[in-house]
Amino acid sequence: MSQERVEVIVVGAGPAGVAAALTLARAGVEVVVLERGAYPGAKNVMGGILYRQPTEELVPGFWREAPLERAIVEQRYLLLTEEDALGVTYRTPAFGQPPYNAFSVLRAEWDRWFAQQAENAGALLATGVTVEDVLWEDGRIVGVRAGEQGELYADVVILADGANSLLAQKAGLTREWRPEEQALVAKELLRLSETEIERRFGVSAGHGVAIEAFGASTGGLLGYGFLYTNRDTVSVGTGALLSDLITHEVNVSDLLDRFKRHPAIAPLLEGAELVEYSAHLIPEGGWRALPTLFADGALVVGDAAGFVNPLSREGSNFAMISGKLAAETILEARAVGDFSAFALSRYWQKLEESFILPDLETIRNVTPFVHQRPYLLREYPEALTRAFQHYLTVDGTPKAQKYGTIIRELIRDLRPTRLLRDVLAGVFQLVR
Amino acid sequence: MKIVVLLKEVPDPNAVRYDPRLGDLVPGIQRVANEYDLYALEAALRLREQVGGEVIVASVGTARDALNRALAMGADRAVNLEGDGLPGDAWTTARALVAWLQREQPDVIWCGQETSDSGTGNVGPAVAAQLDLPLVSNVVGWEFRDGVFEIEREIEDGHQFQEVAPPVVLCALSALPQPRLPTLRGIMDARRKPVEHLTAADLGLSDEALQPLVQWEGLSQPVAKAAGVVVQDVPPDEAVERLLTFLESRGLLG
Ligand SMILES: Cc1cc2nc3c(=O)[nH]c(=O)nc-3n(C[C@H](O)[C@H](O)[C@H](O)COP(=O)(O)OP(=O)(O)OC[C@H]3O[C@@H](n4cnc5c(N)ncnc54)[C@H](O)[C@@H]3O)c2cc1C
């Protein structure tokens, strides 16, 4: 029997795979996306903030027609102790007007819409297909095998199968991920009415809030709790590095329960009805765990390549832009008819010229930084909330005396030299 | 043998959610092929493998993805009856299908016993009635031998065996063999298979012919029932005592 062939196979219809397929299809390349879910988004979890600018690089003006939940106009950062919360809020009307900055989305709907754009451009989307392995010939990757569903051959295979990519492992492009390179996140989708969300979060119709909470929201582990408002649901979740969860014997769904019961969070969720619970891995090995990103006949994109910035909850934009850059690499390779690792290595260069590799490099030491300072997410929130409590309590103590106490306690708890060292170290990590 | 499979796209039963404010399903639920219909298609493909011929899938109403899936599984061609007045209710759906089936004159019409959305189970019987064909419902097993179907059907408290010769309408249940997964080759081939789009006008159907008989009045959610009281593992006398106390407490004993 003759081989069934296309020019490019994309495995996975998440943001990375679809962005690649869309870019290729627009350039007239014959591309097939193989997705194991019954439809794109069927198996996807996302806390759900989608940034406008990177998305517009793929579908200009998408926000006029895509299924988006709310435009995020306000960001809250909270530092939590067992009971208290201290926070910073930034809000601007500018984020609530075209062209907007970011949106909350529900993956099940967004992914389907995004995949539809690729189909409209001419990509073939095949759902219900689980790819089990890549096919090799003379040391080159030449296609994929999907169990009893058969084989398909192509000039290039793009691995876009998400976090913990089994295909990249089977293809020998990456070693097995380690527990310290994955975060485990538990998430719930809870229903409230549209008006109730607008009342509780103080936003007008179509506008929403994103909250990120550090400290007790993860039991002091490296990670954060989040809460995003959708149209008539809220996404709430929390998670931490798998290795930390294991060593501290913490269960993420317990963490999530505790986060939801926190006095600063519980009133926001009161009476909300559970729609869906899920748990998911986020690759956080980043720079240190980068797989081989290109091989003879293959490229790795998105979460499969570990392209996530956990610090600023960016994943889908890394996914989409890496998918686009992979597609552009293939277009250049196709022009000269050479799909060798050498020709596809242009992908690395493109990643270096974009924000993707530079950002991963910038944050490469965050995990060790926090691990060396376990007090950061435990003692600092305690000390700071205590100081605020004293400051705000009116109890007849003369102010000068009160301020003195606060300062003395802060010096005792925060240890200024240590703090200064931490701040400087932190700044050196992140700024160049 | 010319085999037709009737296939409908329904909201994904795993994703269906009711929106109390809309009084309807939440909008935008992904649509998938009705499960029983895929069992019917699998039966049709097996029949073709046995006796040769052609499998045509037909759907009333938008069904692009479901028809593509059927073609990828191995159907030879697809027909989509769409446009004003379609799909309407089970009656108009059957009307439209009959107008088309009269042209095709198939030997066997396979359909699912019912759909997971409206659940009327009317389309197959209505088609059979309008075409004056025999119908066997609740099919859980079949063999085709010497020009005759030997059919096993599920009934209230057992199984019934029937013989019927084509032309015939058969309604499938999910005790039949599992629908096959499309192969990658099948998926690629499906792109090259014909999909015919027909409107009511193409079929010569007037607006009157498509008047639905049923008007839907919207959906509502059943009122939640209180958890019952379970009396278990206690001596009979005590059980009776508890039951009486319970009924009395609810004012049910006069
Ligand atoms: C709880 C949580 C919250 C998040 N919040 C945000 C956020 O607010 N903002 C943000 O930008 N990012 C967020 N992210 C990260 C973001 O979801 C990911 O970075 C992004 O989805 C990566 O896209 P991808 O296409 O690489 O992978 P995925 O979206 O994981 O897609 C992979 C696809 O491949 C399919 N697949 C896998 N294996 C196979 C196979 N063998 N054969 C066929 N198909 C296969 C899967 O079904 C899936 O559809 C969050 C992640 C999590 C877990």
Side-chain angles (χ1 to χ4, degrees), chain B:
Chain B
M1 192 181 272
K2 194 182 232 181
I3 310 159
V4 161
V5 179
L6 308 182
L7 181 84
K8 184 186 182 187
E9 230 176 56
V10 295
D12 181 358
N14 298 317
V16 165
R17 281 195 283 131
Y18 177 74
D19 188 331
R21 284 162 313 141
L22 293 178
D24 204 342
L25 299 182
V26 295
I29 298 169
Q30 171 75 25
R31 303 180 67 79
V32 298
N34 181 49
E35 199 190 353
Y36 287 151
D37 301 354
L38 291 177
Y39 281 89
L41 173 61
E42 177 62 33
L45 295 172
R46 286 173 185 232
L47 182 58
R48 184 192 61 190
E49 278 155 18
Q50 184 189 334
V51 301
E54 184 187 29
V55 172
I56 314 160
V57 277
S59 193
V60 182
T62 325
R64 191 193 69 138
D65 291 352
L67 290 176
N68 272 340
R69 183 177 179 87
L71 293 173
M73 282 168 69
D76 298 287
R77 60 189 169 97
V79 177
N80 200 353
L81 314 180
E82 282 182 285
D84 288 346
L86 295 176
D89 64 1
W91 176 254
T92 36
T93 298
R95 263 279 159 92
L97 286 168
V98 164
W100 170 74
L101 286 163
Q102 277 164 339
R103 296 185 183 177
E104 293 282 352
Q105 299 284 335
D107 301 292
V108 181
I109 300 169
W110 272 103
C111 60
Q113 176 65 26
E114 61 180 26
T115 51
S116 66
D117 55 352
S118 48
T120 66
N122 282 345
V123 172
V127 164
Q130 291 178 38
L131 289 172
D132 198 18
L133 291 181
L135 169 116
V136 185
S137 61
N138 294 319
V139 175
V140 294
W142 60 274
E143 261 177 67
F144 186 69
R145 223 180 304 196
D146 305 328
V148 176
F149 282 103
E150 295 168 12
I151 303 230
E152 179 180 355
R153 60 189 299 267
E154 200 171 83
I155 52 174
E156 191 85 343
D157 42 13
H159 285 209
Q160 193 180 44
F161 296 84
Q162 289 187 347
E163 288 192 0
V164 60
V168 59
V169 180
L170 301 172
C171 306
L173 285 178
S174 55
L176 286 171
Q178 284 261 338
R180 64 195 65 188
L181 287 172
T183 62
L184 290 172
R185 176 175 294 274
I187 289 166
M188 303 305 292
D189 285 347
R191 295 184 301 175
R192 298 180 278 269
K193 290 180 178 173
V195 180
E196 194 181 357
H197 293 269
L198 296 173
T199 62
D202 296 332
L203 295 165
L205 287 168
S206 65
D207 284 355
E208 288 99 79
L210 292 179
Q211 278 306 311
L213 300 180
V214 177
Q215 299 289 342
W216 287 95
E217 291 197 346
L219 299 175
S220 63
Q221 210 162 18
V223 184
K225 282 194 212 143
V229 178
V230 179
V231 183
Q232 214 177 356
D233 299 332
V234 291
D237 286 348
E238 197 189 326
V240 169
E241 209 44 55
R242 282 207 222 166
L243 193 57
L244 289 175
T245 323
F246 172 74
L247 291 173
E248 199 154 25
S249 74
R250 299 294 152 112
L252 293 170
L253 294 182

Side-chain angles (χ1 to χ4, degrees), chain A residues 12 14-16 35-36 47 49 107 129 131 160-161 280 302-303 313 315-316 319:
Chain A
E35 165 59 46
R36 70 178 167 190
I49 301 295
R107 281 289 296 272
V129 179
V131 172
D161 55 335
H280 198 84
D303 274 11
R313 68 150 187 254
S316 54

Side-chain angles (χ1 to χ4, degrees), chain A residues 300-367:
Chain A
V300 190
V301 298
D303 274 11
F307 293 158
V308 168
N309 180 351
L311 209 55
S312 57
R313 68 150 187 254
E314 293 172 63
S316 54
N317 55 334
F318 278 68
M320 287 186 289
I321 299 301
S322 64
K324 176 174 173 245
L325 296 177
E328 287 168 2
T329 306
I330 291 173
L331 294 177
E332 288 172 19
R334 183 174 177 252
V336 293
D338 175 4
F339 301 102
S340 66
F342 179 72
L344 296 180
S345 69
R346 272 284 292 149
Y347 178 47
W348 177 272
Q349 248 168 298
K350 288 178 187 289
L351 290 166
E352 271 187 326
E353 287 156 16
S354 76
F355 63 90
I356 294 179
L357 288 182
D359 277 6
L360 289 184
E361 197 182 351
T362 301
I363 58 163
R364 72 189 182 285
N365 290 323
V366 168
T367 303

Side-chain angles (χ1 to χ4, degrees), chain A residues 97-254:
Chain A
Q97 289 160 13
Y100 306 100
N101 177 55
F103 305 91
S104 51
V105 295
L106 294 176
R107 281 289 296 272
E109 281 163 38
W110 164 261
D111 280 24
R112 256 160 65 204
W113 182 86
F114 193 40
Q116 184 68 54
Q117 309 311 303
E119 284 191 272
N120 293 348
L124 178 67
L125 171 68
T127 54
V129 179
T130 304
V131 172
E132 281 165 15
D133 210 344
V134 295
L135 297 172
W136 294 87
E137 233 166 60
D138 306 328
R140 299 172 28 82
I141 292 175
V142 293
V144 298
R145 176 183 304 116
E148 56 178 278
Q149 289 173 290
E151 298 175 347
L152 187 62
Y153 290 80
D155 295 330
V156 188
V157 177
I158 298 181
L159 303 182
D161 55 335
N164 208 354
S165 167
L166 289 177
L167 287 179
Q169 280 169 40
K170 283 191 185 166
L173 300 177
T174 183
R175 56 175 166 73
E176 231 173 278
W177 298 93
R178 301 181 180 136
E180 65 271 25
E181 293 166 352
Q182 301 264 9
L184 181 62
V185 181
K187 181 200 148 190
E188 285 180 4
L189 192 66
L190 301 166
R191 189 184 345 260
L192 278 172
S193 75
E194 238 167 289
T195 44
E196 196 51 31
I197 289 179
E198 282 146 24
R199 197 182 62 77
R200 289 187 194 186
F201 292 87
V203 287
S204 44
H207 290 171
V209 173
I211 300 175
E212 254 104 40
F214 300 85
S217 47
T218 59
L221 302 178
L222 175 56
Y224 53 81
F226 61 86
L227 194 164
Y228 308 139
T229 55
N230 305 316
R231 192 177 57 80
D232 62 354
T233 52
V234 293
S235 305
V236 55
T238 186
L241 281 185
L242 205 47
S243 51
D244 287 358
L245 292 169
I246 295 169
T247 5
H248 293 85
E249 295 183 16
V250 180
N251 175 321
V252 268
S253 52
D254 292 346

